[in-house]
Amino acid sequence: MIRLNNDYCHGAIPEILDTLQETNADAYAGYELDEWCERASMFIKEAAACPDAAVHYIVGGTQANVAFIAHALRPWESAVCAECGHINVHETGATEHIGHKCETVPARDGKLDAADLRAVAAGYAESPVPEHVTVPRMAYISFPSESGTVYSLAELEALRAVCDEFGMYLFIDGARLAYGLAAEGNDVTLPDIARLSDAFYIGGTKCGALFGEAMVITNSAIAPYFRNSMKQAGTMLAKGWLLGIQFAKLFEDGRYFEIGKTAVAQAMRIKAALSARGLLVEPASPTNQQFAVVSDAQLAALGEVCIVEFEGKAADDGNMVRFCTSWATTDAEVDAVVAAIEGLPE
Amino acid sequence: MIRLNNDYCHGAIPEILDTLQETNADAYAGYELDEWCERASMFIKEAAACPDAAVHYIVGGTQANVAFIAHALRPWESAVCAECGHINVHETGATEHIGHKCETVPARDGKLDAADLRAVAAGYAESPVPEHVTVPRMAYISFPSESGTVYSLAELEALRAVCDEFGMYLFIDGARLAYGLAAEGNDVTLPDIARLSDAFYIGGTKCGALFGEAMVITNSAIAPYFRNSMKQAGTMLAKGWLLGIQFAKLFEDGRYFEIGKTAVAQAMRIKAALSARGLLVEPASPTNQQFAVVSDAQLAALGEVCIVEFEGKAADDGNMVRFCTSWATTDAEVDAVVAAIEGLPE
Amino acid sequence: MIRLNNDYCHGAIPEILDTLQETNADAYAGYELDEWCERASMFIKEAAACPDAAVHYIVGGTQANVAFIAHALRPWESAVCAECGHINVHETGATEHIGHKCETVPARDGKLDAADLRAVAAGYAESPVPEHVTVPRMAYISFPSESGTVYSLAELEALRAVCDEFGMYLFIDGARLAYGLAAEGNDVTLPDIARLSDAFYIGGTKCGALFGEAMVITNSAIAPYFRNSMKQAGTMLAKGWLLGIQFAKLFEDGRYFEIGKTAVAQAMRIKAALSARGLLVEPASPTNQQFAVVSDAQLAALGEVCIVEFEGKAADDGNMVRFCTSWATTDAEVDAVVAAIEGLPE
Amino acid sequence: MIRLNNDYCHGAIPEILDTLQETNADAYAGYELDEWCERASMFIKEAAACPDAAVHYIVGGTQANVAFIAHALRPWESAVCAECGHINVHETGATEHIGHKCETVPARDGKLDAADLRAVAAGYAESPVPEHVTVPRMAYISFPSESGTVYSLAELEALRAVCDEFGMYLFIDGARLAYGLAAEGNDVTLPDIARLSDAFYIGGTKCGALFGEAMVITNSAIAPYFRNSMKQAGTMLAKGWLLGIQFAKLFEDGRYFEIGKTAVAQAMRIKAALSARGLLVEPASPTNQQFAVVSDAQLAALGEVCIVEFEGKAADDGNMVRFCTSWATTDAEVDAVVAAIEGLPE
């Protein structure tokens, strides 16, 4: 059965497995103090044009979010995000568990709008009793968003401007960064991400690795003690070189960017098929996640060919589903899925 | 200057001050293990018809909310409330600070609607990946609400039914309970509050006391160890009898209910004046808080006579303001304010 | 029955009750933004010779400790204290509840020794894997200590020197400050306390007030946003002027210092009686708390005259008990207790 | 250079790498809902003779400790452990970070003694003011301990008896469980561990896996919602089958037990060499960790051959060091290290 329900249902790119095999008998220093981590960080800082950044490796996305938010915010400060933000709805209240409020605004095409962010920040600044509400100190966004959409360079710059105006951090969750950078029409580069944020992470789990996220802290004011925060959050992998190897392999020859392009190209074929059948849902996604509404009969028919993710009921008793490609999605799989879409009952 | 900006800008009913004077030289056991607390609890359990409840005294409302939420919920559980819920917007993220998410739904006339609560609870129950979201385990409401509205008995029973269906607690913040019970058209009694909730508190700070909230836990399953939770939250007053005295005086002759009636009667006079001038804001409040939108000129004119609370800008550049009566509001003050409203410029 | 089990079993000095009566009908701004708080802060800053300090009022000691620790420390930082430190053993894990470790060292006469503090700080600084342990960033002490002992000026200066060397805060819990400053042989003044600490609080609950602690933050780097931390911790009293009145009355004519002297003088009479009978326990306390070990028969005999606090079993089946005087202890009470001690069975 | 500084400086047993390669192109359900996890759990429940236990997989030890402690304890409850307990000293305050106090007692040969545990539990039960201290609800131990020692069956049964008497959980951190079960003279079996604890985990990171700990919850009362706790703690690995594969390979043919034996046998050779030179430290360790005190000259000489972990300064200016074998330690490495020890200067 073809799995398109998410982008973390296969192992890793072969180079990673091969290197893990080759190095299996070698002995390394623990806790990311090894040469592979150093090498990976060199590649990443070069690719992101941020030579002075601090790079750390974390096993998964929730850990990365929680460790950074706990690290950067003071107790009375909150993270502003769109209502559909991952930290707000898909992490079992992990952000609140370590003490911080997610202050939400309605999503615009899945994204946090600079005007909405400004309204929250300005609202606090003008509050007659500011100490009764949390101080919005961080803007949290995902690139791409939960809806698969990407921020334009202008949108990111607008967010940055608000952050500068109000002394806020811009934190970018890049769990699917490879797919965002490879999005159709995207005008944002990895150096832009690094330049415009205070910290961001490069997703490995969903983008070619077995697991792992590379946290890049570009704002040197919040870099100290991050290893302490990692250990406290339980995110310091004992055999840290396993993360170093993965990111070294993803970044040494631009493989990370290539992976993104492949997955997006596959997604575009599915998108075209869904669109032709009038099943595609707004906002249109230029990345590896495609959302559609299908009838019960259509859902059953799709289920003969592939596994998609059921996202909930839509209007008129429709079913919202997600098709998710990844670096591992093959042409043959997409051929079969496209054929299935074309053959769906009305 | 007449203060109507809130309902906690005066001391306490005279009986309380007198008793504090009379008992000042007496020595008592600390931490609410004194005879005044015992006496107050006897009165409260009788008034609320809940002879088996556990009654505890806490200095303020935020403490009461935090201590109870921390006590009752497990880490992965959240409190559901209306977006305007006090715990969500007026407590500097205190609920999140101790680890819990406030799961919000839009307010209906300032209130949490049973259908909205049911949708959240059912949404969790039907979730394909329930462990990725918090478990909605508590419904948090205020009686009266932040908008001054009250729940009808039918509305409370509907919330209770949802809580029973999904195994949730109903927790009622009664910071202004005296004014809710005395509301125009209210059909809810204190025994109803006790019968339909798992825990609630009776506000003293805003209703005749210097400070203090009486927490009444009617669900015996969550009663044990609440004193531990109080101490951990820093809410255990060393000289607990100060709270016992205040609630004994508020409840020994039905003074608490009387106070509510007086304040609401005063508020109704202001409401009528605001309504006559077309300044009153929907939803209409039957309690001690009255909300109006006034122009800049009107705001300035009001400011000559009384202090009202500025709540923010409304449409068309209007100013949303709150008039708040209390047990301490005098006829003369209301006369002056009503006259001022009648004389406001267009 | 004479209560000597603790120093918070009576109301307040009469001036406080009288002023509460006199001002009961007055209307004030809430949340400590009133003229009484302003007045009290002026007195306190003058008495402590710290004109630039920020002064805030909090209802009780656990709240004061928790609010300040949560405010000042980053998540990976801990507070160093003696094993018998109040935050470590008498607050139901409140410090840990809001996320911080108490790092303990053995007490020396109830106190934190500068050499022990230095060893902890140096241990961290020299740790090969510092991120695996918490960063000791605060020294927490009580003046007087839980054993009733006081730090000499030289001892406080030594602690300050360690804090300066390692970039740590010195936080002084002054719940019983009046009794410490009035201790026999004490060479520390209130200005010394202010000068040598980064923050401290002046206890009211145990020293003449109904309740209340005055937090004085002398290190301006950690002063901002403390009101936010207070509100988040639930420690912001709605009717803040009640605290302002109490501290204004305690400090306007040096009453606070006088109270301390009276209580200590009474304690010295009890101490002499205990000492004469060979019942006094080491370390000797020069303050209002006196500790003794008595036999079962002696405990029963004492129980005829006064209530003392049972602290636990001592060697040889003895009973460790505490005699605690306060501003409210009368000569007649002490006469009776001294006579009882003198008449105790062998 | 031979690394003996810890037991997590190599990859994994070859079977694991091979299986990761073989399955790399397969697609699986995420979040441990795959057939490999099911298979591993079947093996583990069989090996531990606990057919009704719930088994979960977590990436690392700190995460495992934190997720379980946060899951099992109520806010006012603490975990009792030896002063040298891993949660107390090697996890950057992670337990406190999520709200719980580690209540410590002196270690006896690195272990928590049943009499000490009983004293803490009984002390709480007899406390005159129990709500002022945390409730000791969990005994936390490591098997083997931080000193490499193991509990005898009688010692474990004694701890269990105290837990039963006082309603406490016994939680066993088995990060090095393979080496404990293989210890010289050990009389505890895996079924004993399962039978006597409420929950324990089987260490993979230090015992043959790339990473991973298998949490086994045998007390069904605390099993529900653990997946929620895992997700909230950020410990739910997206590609959960990676953990399932590792534990399936470790347990399918008793490899886990074999690994332990090999490593311990290697350690015993080093122990004999150290002992012959009089360098071994008490308490003697029957497991893979061996502790010695060496002079500066000896340390330098050792450094020519292998990397050992420096643990701190000992008396007489000695250096406490740790020799740590693992499943990956070869005969040739031990030959070289033994020769080096034999050849150390006086």
Side-chain angles (χ1 to χ4, degrees):
Chain A
M1 183 70 74
I2 302 167
R3 279 197 177 270
L4 291 175
N5 52 322
N6 64 47
D7 34 19
Y8 40 89
C9 56
H10 292 83
I13 57 169
E15 296 90 318
I16 285 177
L17 262 294
D18 292 345
T19 312
L20 291 177
Q21 276 279 27
E22 288 159 20
T23 59
N24 191 46
D26 298 345
Y28 294 103
Y31 304 118
E32 309 191 0
L33 300 174
D34 63 277
E35 49 268 42
W36 281 105
C37 285
E38 197 182 333
R39 186 172 162 81
S41 298
M42 191 188 65
F43 289 144
I44 286 173
K45 288 190 278 189
E46 193 179 322
C50 52
D52 301 324
V55 183
H56 303 274
Y57 302 95
I58 292 177
V59 170
T62 298
Q63 283 178 28
N65 289 330
V66 165
F68 183 73
I69 291 172
H71 178 75
L73 295 186
R74 307 305 302 267
W76 56 87
E77 297 175 344
S78 55
V80 183
C81 65
E83 272 177 359
C84 62
H86 201 270
I87 56 171
N88 190 46
V89 293
H90 291 308
E91 300 185 349
T92 323
T95 295
E96 291 86 357
H97 185 49
I98 47 90
H100 294 283
K101 190 178 192 72
C102 299
E103 199 160 344
T104 60
V105 297
R108 314 283 183 183
D109 288 350
K111 297 182 281 185
L112 174 65
D113 188 78
D116 292 330
L117 176 64
R118 200 184 182 291
V120 170
Y124 176 79
E126 294 159 8
S127 172
V129 281
E131 54 265 20
H132 290 214
V133 292
T134 49
V135 180
R137 181 72 75 201
M138 179 188 289
Y140 164 92
I141 64 170
S142 297
F143 187 96
S145 76
E146 298 294 306
S147 304
T149 51
V150 294
Y151 290 80
S152 68
L153 185 56
E155 286 173 332
L156 281 188
E157 287 172 339
L159 288 169
R160 178 72 262 167
V162 175
C163 288
D164 285 343
E165 182 180 357
F166 291 96
M168 298 173 74
Y169 305 124
L170 180 56
F171 175 42
I172 303 180
D173 169 341
R176 293 189 170 96
L177 190 56
Y179 308 131
L181 293 174
E184 279 201 328
N186 171 51
D187 65 350
V188 172
T189 64
L190 186 54
D192 290 332
I193 295 278
R195 174 176 57 88
L196 295 169
S197 68
D198 295 276
F200 68 100
Y201 62 90
I202 301 173
T205 303
K206 294 173 178 167
C207 307
L210 290 174
F211 56 85
E213 321 292 313
M215 177 73 69
V216 184
I217 305 181
T218 53
N219 178 342
S220 62
I222 47 177
Y225 293 102
F226 189 66
R227 282 174 62 85
N228 301 249
S229 288
M230 284 176 64
K231 180 69 187 166
Q232 184 172 61
T235 71
M236 183 82 88
L237 191 66
K239 302 185 184 177
W241 71 88
L242 300 176
L243 289 159
I245 285 172
Q246 296 187 76
F247 279 93
K249 291 294 143 186
L250 284 171
F251 276 87
E252 71 181 345
D253 297 314
R255 277 291 268 148
Y256 192 73
F257 304 100
E258 214 178 275
I259 281 167
K261 283 180 199 150
T262 311
V264 170
Q266 302 290 31
M268 291 305 105
R269 291 179 58 204
I270 294 172
K271 180 182 185 177
L274 290 168
S275 181
R277 291 299 305 269
L279 301 172
L280 205 65
V281 163
E282 288 296 315
S285 157
T287 61
N288 74 315
Q289 299 180 82
Q290 297 299 322
F291 298 87
V293 170
V294 296
S295 68
D296 289 349
Q298 291 170 331
L299 186 57
L302 273 174
E304 300 290 316
V305 176
C306 64
I307 301 175
V308 294
E309 187 168 278
F310 174 68
E311 300 266 315
K313 295 304 285 188
D316 299 330
D317 215 37
N319 303 289
M320 172 79 88
V321 294
R322 180 176 72 166
F323 294 77
C324 211
T325 64
S326 80
W327 58 275
T329 310
T330 64
D331 290 346
E333 287 175 334
V334 177
D335 290 346
V337 170
V338 165
I341 293 169
E342 290 170 350
L344 286 181
E346 281 304 312
Chain B
M1 184 69 75
I2 301 167
R3 279 196 178 269
L4 291 174
N5 54 321
N6 65 46
D7 34 18
Y8 42 88
C9 55
H10 291 83
I13 56 170
E15 297 91 317
I16 284 177
L17 261 293
D18 292 346
T19 311
L20 292 176
Q21 277 279 26
E22 288 160 20
T23 59
N24 192 46
D26 298 345
Y28 294 103
Y31 303 117
E32 309 191 1
L33 300 172
D34 63 275
E35 49 269 41
W36 280 106
C37 284
E38 196 182 335
R39 185 173 163 83
S41 298
M42 191 188 67
F43 289 144
I44 286 173
K45 288 191 276 189
E46 194 179 322
C50 52
D52 301 326
V55 184
H56 303 274
Y57 301 95
I58 291 177
V59 169
T62 298
Q63 283 179 27
N65 289 331
V66 165
F68 184 72
I69 291 172
H71 178 76
L73 294 186
R74 307 305 302 268
W76 56 86
E77 298 174 345
S78 55
V80 183
C81 65
E83 272 176 0
C84 63
H86 201 270
I87 57 171
N88 191 47
V89 292
H90 291 309
E91 300 186 348
T92 323
T95 295
E96 291 86 358
H97 185 50
I98 48 90
H100 295 283
K101 190 179 191 71
C102 299
E103 199 160 345
T104 60
V105 296
R108 315 284 184 181
D109 289 351
K111 297 181 282 185
L112 174 66
D113 189 77
D116 292 330
L117 176 65
R118 201 185 181 290
V120 171
Y124 177 78
E126 293 160 9
S127 171
V129 281
E131 55 266 20
H132 291 215
V133 292
T134 49
V135 180
R137 181 71 75 200
M138 179 188 290
Y140 165 91
I141 64 170
S142 296
F143 188 96
S145 77
E146 297 294 304
S147 304
T149 52
V150 293
Y151 291 80
S152 68
L153 184 57
E155 287 173 332
L156 280 189
E157 286 172 339
L159 287 169
R160 178 74 262 167
V162 174
C163 288
D164 285 343
E165 182 181 357
F166 292 95
M168 299 172 75
Y169 305 125
L170 179 57
F171 175 42
I172 303 179
D173 169 340
R176 293 189 170 98
L177 190 57
Y179 308 131
L181 294 173
E184 278 201 328
N186 170 52
D187 64 349
V188 172
T189 64
L190 186 55
D192 290 332
I193 295 279
R195 174 176 58 86
L196 294 169
S197 68
D198 295 275
F200 68 100
Y201 62 90
I202 301 173
T205 303
K206 293 172 179 169
C207 307
L210 290 175
F211 56 85
E213 320 292 312
M215 176 72 70
V216 184
I217 304 180
T218 52
N219 179 342
S220 61
I222 46 176
Y225 292 101
F226 189 66
R227 282 174 62 83
N228 301 250
S229 288
M230 284 175 64
K231 181 68 186 165
Q232 185 172 61
T235 70
M236 183 82 88
L237 190 65
K239 302 185 183 178
W241 71 88
L242 300 176
L243 288 159
I245 285 172
Q246 296 188 78
F247 279 94
K249 290 295 143 183
L250 285 171
F251 276 86
E252 72 182 344
D253 296 312
R255 276 291 269 146
Y256 192 73
F257 304 101
E258 218 178 89
I259 279 168
K261 283 179 196 151
T262 310
V264 170
Q266 303 289 30
M268 292 304 105
R269 291 179 59 205
I270 294 171
K271 179 182 186 177
L274 290 168
S275 181
R277 290 299 307 268
L279 301 172
L280 206 66
V281 163
E282 288 296 316
S285 156
T287 61
N288 75 314
Q289 298 181 81
Q290 297 299 323
F291 297 88
V293 171
V294 294
S295 68
D296 288 350
Q298 290 170 331
L299 186 57
L302 273 174
E304 300 291 314
V305 176
C306 63
I307 300 174
V308 295
E309 187 168 280
F310 174 69
E311 301 264 317
K313 295 304 287 187
D316 298 329
D317 214 36
N319 303 289
M320 172 78 87
V321 295
R322 179 177 74 164
F323 294 77
C324 211
T325 64
S326 80
W327 58 276
T329 310
T330 63
D331 289 346
E333 287 175 335
V334 177
D335 290 346
V337 171
V338 165
I341 293 168
E342 289 170 351
L344 286 180
E346 279 306 312
Chain C
M1 185 67 78
I2 300 167
R3 279 196 176 270
L4 291 175
N5 52 322
N6 65 48
D7 35 18
Y8 40 89
C9 56
H10 292 83
I13 57 170
E15 296 90 318
I16 284 178
L17 261 293
D18 292 346
T19 311
L20 291 177
Q21 276 280 24
E22 287 159 21
T23 59
N24 192 46
D26 297 346
Y28 294 103
Y31 303 117
E32 308 190 2
L33 300 174
D34 63 276
E35 48 270 41
W36 280 105
C37 285
E38 197 183 333
R39 186 173 162 83
S41 299
M42 191 187 66
F43 289 143
I44 286 173
K45 288 189 279 188
E46 194 179 321
C50 53
D52 300 326
V55 183
H56 303 275
Y57 302 95
I58 291 177
V59 169
T62 298
Q63 284 178 27
N65 289 331
V66 165
F68 183 73
I69 291 172
H71 178 75
L73 294 185
R74 306 305 302 269
W76 56 87
E77 298 175 346
S78 55
V80 182
C81 64
E83 272 176 358
C84 63
H86 201 270
I87 56 170
N88 191 47
V89 292
H90 291 309
E91 300 186 348
T92 323
T95 295
E96 292 87 357
H97 185 48
I98 48 92
H100 296 283
K101 190 179 192 71
C102 299
E103 200 160 344
T104 60
V105 297
R108 315 283 182 182
D109 289 349
K111 295 181 281 185
L112 175 66
D113 188 77
D116 293 330
L117 177 65
R118 201 186 181 289
V120 170
Y124 176 79
E126 294 159 9
S127 173
V129 280
E131 56 265 21
H132 291 214
V133 292
T134 49
V135 180
R137 180 73 73 200
M138 179 187 290
Y140 165 92
I141 65 169
S142 296
F143 187 96
S145 77
E146 298 294 307
S147 304
T149 52
V150 293
Y151 292 79
S152 68
L153 185 57
E155 287 173 331
L156 281 188
E157 287 172 339
L159 288 169
R160 176 74 263 165
V162 175
C163 289
D164 285 343
E165 183 181 356
F166 292 96
M168 299 173 74
Y169 304 125
L170 179 57
F171 175 43
I172 303 179
D173 170 342
R176 292 187 170 98
L177 189 56
Y179 308 131
L181 294 174
E184 278 200 328
N186 171 51
D187 65 349
V188 173
T189 64
L190 187 54
D192 290 331
I193 295 277
R195 175 176 58 87
L196 294 168
S197 68
D198 295 276
F200 68 100
Y201 62 90
I202 301 172
T205 304
K206 293 171 178 169
C207 307
L210 290 174
F211 55 85
E213 320 292 312
M215 176 71 71
V216 184
I217 305 180
T218 53
N219 179 341
S220 62
I222 46 176
Y225 292 103
F226 189 66
R227 283 173 62 83
N228 300 249
S229 287
M230 285 176 64
K231 180 67 188 168
Q232 185 173 61
T235 71
M236 182 81 89
L237 191 66
K239 301 184 183 179
W241 70 88
L242 300 175
L243 288 159
I245 285 172
Q246 296 187 79
F247 279 93
K249 290 294 142 186
L250 285 170
F251 276 86
E252 70 182 343
D253 296 312
R255 278 289 271 147
Y256 192 74
F257 304 100
E258 215 179 274
I259 281 168
K261 284 180 197 150
T262 310
V264 170
Q266 303 289 31
M268 292 304 103
R269 292 178 59 204
I270 294 172
K271 179 181 185 178
L274 289 168
S275 181
R277 290 299 307 270
L279 301 171
L280 206 65
V281 163
E282 288 295 314
S285 159
T287 60
N288 74 314
Q289 300 181 81
Q290 296 300 323
F291 298 88
V293 169
V294 295
S295 67
D296 288 349
Q298 290 170 330
L299 186 58
L302 272 173
E304 300 291 313
V305 175
C306 63
I307 301 175
V308 295
E309 187 168 279
F310 174 69
E311 301 266 316
K313 295 303 287 185
D316 298 329
D317 214 36
N319 303 288
M320 170 78 89
V321 295
R322 181 177 71 166
F323 294 77
C324 212
T325 64
S326 80
W327 57 275
T329 310
T330 64
D331 289 346
E333 288 175 334
V334 176
D335 290 346
V337 170
V338 165
I341 293 169
E342 290 169 350
L344 285 180
E346 280 306 309
Chain D
M1 184 69 75
I2 301 167
R3 279 196 177 270
L4 291 175
N5 54 323
N6 64 47
D7 34 18
Y8 41 88
C9 56
H10 292 84
I13 56 170
E15 297 91 316
I16 284 177
L17 261 294
D18 292 345
T19 311
L20 290 177
Q21 276 279 26
E22 288 160 21
T23 59
N24 192 44
D26 298 345
Y28 293 103
Y31 303 116
E32 308 190 2
L33 300 174
D34 64 275
E35 49 269 42
W36 281 106
C37 285
E38 197 181 334
R39 185 172 163 83
S41 299
M42 192 188 64
F43 289 143
I44 287 174
K45 288 189 279 189
E46 195 178 321
C50 53
D52 300 324
V55 183
H56 303 275
Y57 301 95
I58 290 177
V59 169
T62 299
Q63 283 178 30
N65 289 331
V66 165
F68 183 73
I69 292 172
H71 178 76
L73 295 186
R74 307 305 302 268
W76 56 87
E77 298 174 346
S78 55
V80 183
C81 64
E83 271 175 1
C84 62
H86 201 270
I87 56 170
N88 191 46
V89 292
H90 291 309
E91 301 185 350
T92 322
T95 295
E96 291 86 357
H97 185 50
I98 48 91
H100 295 283
K101 190 179 192 70
C102 299
E103 200 161 344
T104 60
V105 297
R108 315 282 183 183
D109 289 349
K111 296 181 281 183
L112 175 67
D113 188 76
D116 292 330
L117 177 65
R118 200 185 181 291
V120 171
Y124 176 79
E126 294 160 8
S127 172
V129 280
E131 55 266 21
H132 290 214
V133 292
T134 49
V135 180
R137 180 73 75 201
M138 178 188 290
Y140 164 92
I141 65 170
S142 295
F143 187 97
S145 77
E146 297 295 304
S147 304
T149 52
V150 294
Y151 292 80
S152 68
L153 185 57
E155 286 173 332
L156 280 189
E157 286 172 339
L159 287 169
R160 176 75 261 166
V162 175
C163 288
D164 285 343
E165 182 181 356
F166 292 95
M168 297 172 76
Y169 304 125
L170 179 57
F171 174 43
I172 303 179
D173 170 340
R176 293 188 169 97
L177 190 55
Y179 308 131
L181 293 174
E184 279 202 327
N186 170 51
D187 64 349
V188 172
T189 64
L190 186 55
D192 290 332
I193 296 278
R195 175 176 58 86
L196 294 170
S197 68
D198 296 276
F200 68 100
Y201 63 89
I202 300 173
T205 302
K206 293 172 180 169
C207 307
L210 290 175
F211 56 87
E213 319 293 312
M215 176 72 70
V216 184
I217 305 180
T218 52
N219 178 341
S220 62
I222 46 175
Y225 293 102
F226 189 67
R227 283 174 61 83
N228 300 249
S229 288
M230 285 175 64
K231 180 70 187 165
Q232 185 172 61
T235 71
M236 182 82 88
L237 190 65
K239 302 185 184 178
W241 70 88
L242 300 176
L243 289 159
I245 285 172
Q246 296 186 79
F247 280 94
K249 291 293 141 187
L250 285 171
F251 276 86
E252 71 182 345
D253 296 311
R255 277 290 269 147
Y256 192 74
F257 304 100
E258 217 178 273
I259 282 169
K261 283 179 197 150
T262 311
V264 170
Q266 304 288 31
M268 291 305 105
R269 292 179 58 205
I270 295 172
K271 180 182 185 177
L274 290 168
S275 182
R277 291 299 305 269
L279 302 171
L280 206 64
V281 163
E282 288 294 316
S285 158
T287 61
N288 74 314
Q289 300 180 81
Q290 296 300 322
F291 298 86
V293 170
V294 295
S295 67
D296 288 348
Q298 291 170 329
L299 187 58
L302 273 173
E304 300 290 315
V305 176
C306 63
I307 301 174
V308 296
E309 186 168 280
F310 174 67
E311 301 265 317
K313 295 304 287 185
D316 298 329
D317 214 39
N319 303 288
M320 170 79 88
V321 295
R322 180 176 72 166
F323 294 77
C324 211
T325 65
S326 79
W327 57 276
T329 310
T330 64
D331 289 345
E333 288 175 334
V334 177
D335 290 346
V337 171
V338 165
I341 293 169
E342 289 169 349
L344 286 180
E346 280 305 312

